Each structure stands twice: as structure tokens, then as C-alpha cells.
Amino acid sequence: MSLLEIALHKSFVCAGMLLTMACSLSSSVMAQSGHVNPWEKKDIGKLPPIASLTEGMWLKGDLHLHSRHSTESSNNPISKIVAFSKSVGMDYIGITDHDNHVNGDVAHHTWVDPEFKTDSLLLLYGAEWTTTRGHGNTFSAKPYDHQQLYDVRDQRDVITAGVKKKLGIHLSANHPSGKDHFGYSYDMIESIEVWNSAIWPKNANAIMIWDDMLSSGRKLTGRGGSDAHHGVPDSPEKATKNSVQATANYVGTPTTWVFAKTRTLQGVIDALTNGRVSVSANPYAPRVEFYADLNEDGKMDMMMGDNAKSTGKVVRFQVQLSGNTLPDATYTVNVVKNGGSFATFQATGKLPVVEFTDTPVTGKRSYYRVTIEGPQTAYPQVPGSMALSENMVALSNPICFNFDPNF
Ligand SMILES: [Zn+2]
Ligand SMILES: [Zn+2]
């Protein structure tokens, strides 16, 4: 081979190499253009039909209470909690004693206490799961093996979530922005404590977390819980330094309303899981109900907690206050859409009603929820609670559009 031939051959090889490189480059570009992102949003398909808006009943209760089986409590046997709850018209309560005080064995402490029995007052089976990663409340219609959940408290979320699922219980994040906040995955829970105790202002960050969870597609129910630990002492000498709390934060501060199909433990839990729930400052404060008319026929088609597909049509929303509204009071109705402020209205009268319209976008998630501010209805049995709740009277759960039930 001559020098020229060698040079030509080399350049040919080079050209060939370049060609090959160019070919492989263009084939990889081609492969990339054919790439399909498996996480691309798909149509969520048909959603389950919305349950009846009339077949059911409003039940009120408190979902976070500590009895004498929590060692941090004082003057608060179950009998006292039950008697008080009945006296203020509660339909259900969740006594959620700290499981770490009994090494996870709530079944042989709180639940077998002779004072723990469901009659006219429904008593949920539950506990406050008290772990180094924070607190969560459990709720169940029947006794379950809570020890198993206690045993996996330090395991990885995937294991803990599996045990929780197997037990078939409702798990709820407690005081999410407070001390001992829920430090596990929010994918393993059904609800979140957005209103903990009578002290309203400390819940602002909990509401923000709730909005973030809703915005990311987690349809979590917002609920309340007084987290009351202390009862009124039976005699002055039984008073502790915490006894003063009983007059400011006790059963019903706040009160969680659920629209249950049946007056049963399972009825309460199902409503709680589905989000047909609102929270009021106390058992005598007005209850907020939130509905939507999807086809402008004047008939409401869904309520808070419900999820429908948006059709591109105008939706008429209705907010109403029921129960003990103060006849001369003006209530402020704040509408939150997708975590941001949407509108504000003033409402007065015996049964104040506010209506507004909007067109939820098609093919994307959106949600609407309301808060009610105004003067507090008196709660003479827990007089100190009124000032602590400031202007917050009630809040609703969201009405949802295009939420994926298989999130
Ligand atoms: Zn706690
Ligand atoms: Zn607690």
C-alpha cells in the first residue's frame, strides 16, 4: 500500500467510524423520541357513583382523648369521659390512650376496662400509636391486635404499612405540625388531624400540610381531636397542676361531625375514611355542610368528601351552617381552591347559606373546601375553650374533582 493509499484508507476508516457514530447517534435519538413515560397522566376512568346525600345521619364526636390508661393524664377515668360526652350530646368518641405506656397492649388496658362499653355512646377501638417517629391515632369498629402495630413502630414504612393494611384499621396522622408530629409516609394513612385541641392558631401549619397532601393527589380526610388528658378533679385535693386544662380543653374542643350511613362504629369509620366530615369548635357550635350541584338543576349532587369527574360545565357550590348559629352573628365563609384563597363571603341569618359557582378544569385535579370564622357559640361546660379557638368556628372537608381513587 502506497503512502497515498494508506492515507486514503485511513480517511475512509475514519469516515466509516464517523458514519457508524452518526448512525448510532441517530438511532439513539430515534429511540428517545419513541420513549413513553410510564408515569404520564392517564385518564382515571370511571369513578364510583356518589353515595346518597340523604340516607344517613350526622353524628358528632371527639377523635383524640386520653383516659387514666395514659400515664400523663389526671382525674380522667373512662367513666368520667363517657358521662361527660353523653351530657353534651356526643354520639361517638375515640379514646386513644398512648400505647407506649402499656408496651402496645391497649387491648388489656383501655379496651377491657369495665367502664369501656358501647351503648348509646359509640366507643371506637383505638390508641395513640406513640413512637420515636411521632404520633398517629388508630380507629377500628372492632378490637384488633394493636400489639402488631406497636411491634413495627421502628420498622421501615413499607413493612409498617403492610401490617397496618393487614389489621384493617383506619390510621390518622396526629398534630402534624406539632411536637411528635407524624413522621411516617402519608401514603399509609386515611386522615389527618387538622384541628388539634381548642387552641386554633397552632393548627395553621397543619392546614398547610393538609393542602399540600391534597394538592399532590392524596385524598386525606381532615379531622379534629381535643387531645384532652385531664378531667375536672372530684375534690380540691385531687387537683394537679394540669387540672386547669379541663376547663379550657376537653371532650368536644373541637368536635368532629361525620355523615354516617348507620349509627354504628363502622358507620363512623366509613364516613371518616370517605371524608363526609366537618369540624366545629365545640359541640354547640354550628356545623358546616358543603354541597355541589353538577348540572345546575338546583338539586345538590355531591357533598364534602365526594369525588367526581369534571365535565367542563359550571358547578354550583352551596355552603350551609346548621345547628346553633347565633341569630345576630355574621359569619365569614372562606373558600379555598387548590390550596389558595378563592373567594370570601359574609353569611347571616338563622341558617346561613352561601352559593357560588366555578368551572373545575377537565382532566386535572381540583378541590374546594371552606372555613367559617365568626363569634363562638358558648360552651359553658368548657368555658375557657372559646377564647382559645379565637374566630375559627368550623371547617369542611374538600369537594374533589378528578382525584384518582387508586392513588
Ligand atoms: Zn400525640
Ligand atoms: Zn394525644
Side-chain angles (χ1 to χ4, degrees):
M1 207 183 274
S2 71
L3 277 173
L4 181 72
E5 276 173 333
I6 288 167
L8 276 172
H9 178 74
K10 266 191 171 168
S11 69
F12 181 76
V13 169
C14 286
M17 276 171 72
L18 276 170
L19 261 172
T20 317
M21 275 168 71
C23 280
S24 68
L25 207 73
S26 74
S27 68
S28 82
V29 166
M30 272 165 67
Q32 253 177 24
S33 68
H35 171 71
V36 179
N37 179 355
W39 303 102
E40 203 63 57
K41 273 217 181 75
K42 289 191 197 83
D43 188 87
I44 49 170
K46 228 173 157 221
L47 290 174
I50 289 164
S52 166
L53 301 187
T54 51
E55 282 164 36
M57 66 210 80
W58 287 105
L59 302 176
K60 62 177 182 288
D62 190 331
L63 289 161
H64 194 159
L65 290 162
H66 294 274
S67 80
R68 67 179 177 89
H69 299 287
S70 294
T71 54
E72 294 145 356
S73 111
S74 68
N75 295 301
N76 218 20
I78 292 176
S79 59
K80 182 175 280 182
I81 299 171
V82 167
F84 182 92
S85 299
K86 287 179 180 174
S87 76
V88 298
M90 289 299 186
D91 299 293
Y92 73 89
I93 54 168
I95 295 176
T96 50
D97 283 315
H98 289 291
D99 62 356
N100 61 332
H101 293 165
V102 292
N103 288 322
D105 191 12
V106 289
H108 290 99
H109 290 80
T110 305
W111 303 349
V112 296
D113 187 320
E115 296 171 0
F116 186 96
K117 50 178 189 294
T118 283
D119 42 37
S120 64
L121 179 71
L122 301 166
L123 263 54
L124 298 168
Y125 291 90
E128 184 163 17
W129 190 40
T130 305
T131 77
T132 49
R133 287 171 65 189
H135 298 179
N137 273 358
T138 62
F139 303 114
S140 173
K142 49 184 193 297
Y144 63 93
D145 188 3
H146 185 83
Q147 191 75 52
Q148 288 189 38
L149 190 66
Y150 184 74
D151 289 346
V152 292
R153 66 197 182 281
D154 294 329
Q155 298 303 313
R156 302 179 75 173
D157 284 8
V158 65
I159 294 168
T160 314
V163 168
K164 179 255 161 187
K165 196 173 173 199
K166 194 181 79 187
L167 294 172
I169 54 174
H170 179 115
L171 185 61
S172 189
N174 286 358
H175 36 72
S177 64
K179 189 168 131 316
D180 302 320
H181 66 274
F182 188 79
Y184 298 84
S185 167
Y186 277 60
D187 290 338
M188 67 166 91
I189 59 170
E190 282 79 28
S191 65
I192 167 170
E193 190 174 64
V194 296
W195 191 338
N196 173 279
S197 92
I199 309 167
W200 166 256
K202 69 172 186 177
N203 291 291
N205 288 336
I207 296 284
M208 201 155 73
I209 293 168
W210 187 30
D211 273 323
D212 277 349
M213 291 299 155
L214 290 167
S215 298
S216 64
R218 294 168 174 86
K219 197 178 151 298
L220 295 178
T221 301
R223 65 154 180 93
S226 69
D227 210 352
H229 285 64
H230 309 283
V232 173
D234 294 326
S235 58
E237 64 272 14
K238 287 201 175 131
T240 69
K241 65 175 178 13
N242 292 316
S243 294
V244 65
Q245 288 190 31
T247 61
N249 186 56
Y250 201 53
V251 177
T253 59
T255 293
T256 301
W257 288 92
V258 301
F259 188 72
K261 273 190 195 154
T262 55
R263 194 187 177 84
T264 59
L265 293 168
Q266 196 60 53
V268 172
I269 289 174
D270 289 346
L272 192 61
T273 302
N274 297 333
R276 287 182 155 192
V277 171
S278 71
V279 189
S280 301
N282 69 55
Y284 304 138
R287 174 179 72 242
V288 61
E289 295 173 25
F290 186 30
Y291 298 95
D293 171 10
L294 300 175
N295 50 7
E296 288 215 276
D297 65 353
K299 211 173 115 286
M300 292 300 146
D301 303 298
M302 60 194 295
M303 74 155 96
M304 49 197 178
D306 292 341
N307 177 33
K309 259 182 134 168
S310 53
T311 57
K313 285 196 203 133
V314 167
V315 173
R316 178 168 295 277
F317 295 89
Q318 188 184 76
V319 184
Q320 67 185 57
L321 289 184
S322 306
N324 302 316
T325 50
L326 300 168
D328 300 322
T330 298
Y331 294 98
T332 303
V333 179
N334 299 302
V335 182
V336 174
K337 177 185 178 184
N338 300 338
S341 180
F342 177 72
T344 301
F345 304 95
Q346 305 292 320
T348 51
K350 191 161 174 5
L351 293 173
V353 175
V354 160
E355 290 200 340
F356 62 93
T357 58
D358 194 36
T359 309
V361 290
T362 52
K364 267 187 173 174
R365 281 191 306 265
S366 50
Y367 71 88
Y368 303 77
R369 60 176 187 82
V370 299
T371 60
I372 312 295
E373 290 175 82
Q376 293 294 347
T377 306
Y379 189 14
Q381 293 90 334
V382 194
S385 66
M386 290 173 64
L388 296 175
S389 303
E390 297 189 354
N391 283 332
M392 185 52 66
V393 173
L395 59 82
S396 81
N397 265 270
I399 287 179
C400 298
F401 294 92
N402 302 334
F403 273 60
D404 184 351
N406 300 312
F407 180 90

